[in-house]
Amino acid sequence: AGILINPDTAILAKRAMQERESEMQSEIRVGRIVGVLLLLQIVGGILTNFVLTESLFGEPGFLIAAAGNASKIALSALVGVAMGLVSIGVASLLYPVFRQRAQTLALFYFAMVVAGFALTVVENISVMSLLSLSQAYAEAGGAQPELYDGLRIVMKSARNWTHYISLVVSGCTLFAFYVVMFRFQLIPRLLPSIGLLAVCSQLYAVSTPLFGIEVDFRFIAPLGITQIILSLWLVVRGFRGKAVSPA
């Protein structure tokens, strides 16, 4: 005897398949948008750290050089805050994708992004304060060098400590990101596996100044390379998620 299929059941099954297909296509699009935004952040980071703020960290030092590069430094602060807002945008796009798989991790990830943005704002306020000190020093014509040298040390330290703590928070954020990527196979597991190792390497490197040890940039480079590869992968392929129950 033939097996009778309830028409209502068939319709519901077809509708469920269509909804899942629509959800998968949506996640692919989200992944591609995230990839573009991550590439934008990489470009913004290179521009800020290696072009616009060169006078702050190179010779002869920010106290002398920053005042003559005021426009670049001001632009670097704006770009830095803008890239922080891009991070908020990425987190907003990812939150629904993460939440349906692991709500606790989704909340942790979003909270860390918000904390990182707050630290980014504070860091760029510190950068502008360095510029203001340099301008005051230039207006004073180099008078009272002991006073300005003391202020230089304090203000530079304030900026640097904010920067390192911001990098620690950023590393923790990326760790949560790669955990979700690995656990739910939103991308091939090899990439988040490498990403997790690279994040651990970065966290070690940016934590060493807290203990009086200079940063070894060789431990940071793997994360930069991984982020570029991840971004390109997402632009081309997006996310490839599977249906899972909320955690």
Side-chain angles (χ1 to χ4, degrees), residues 12-22:
L12 290 173
K14 183 178 179 181
R15 185 177 300 170
M17 289 180 62
Q18 291 173 339
E19 289 177 354
R20 180 54 191 155
E21 178 65 24
S22 175

Side-chain angles (χ1 to χ4, degrees), residues 73 177 214 231:
I73 294 169
F177 173 86
E214 288 189 9
S231 302

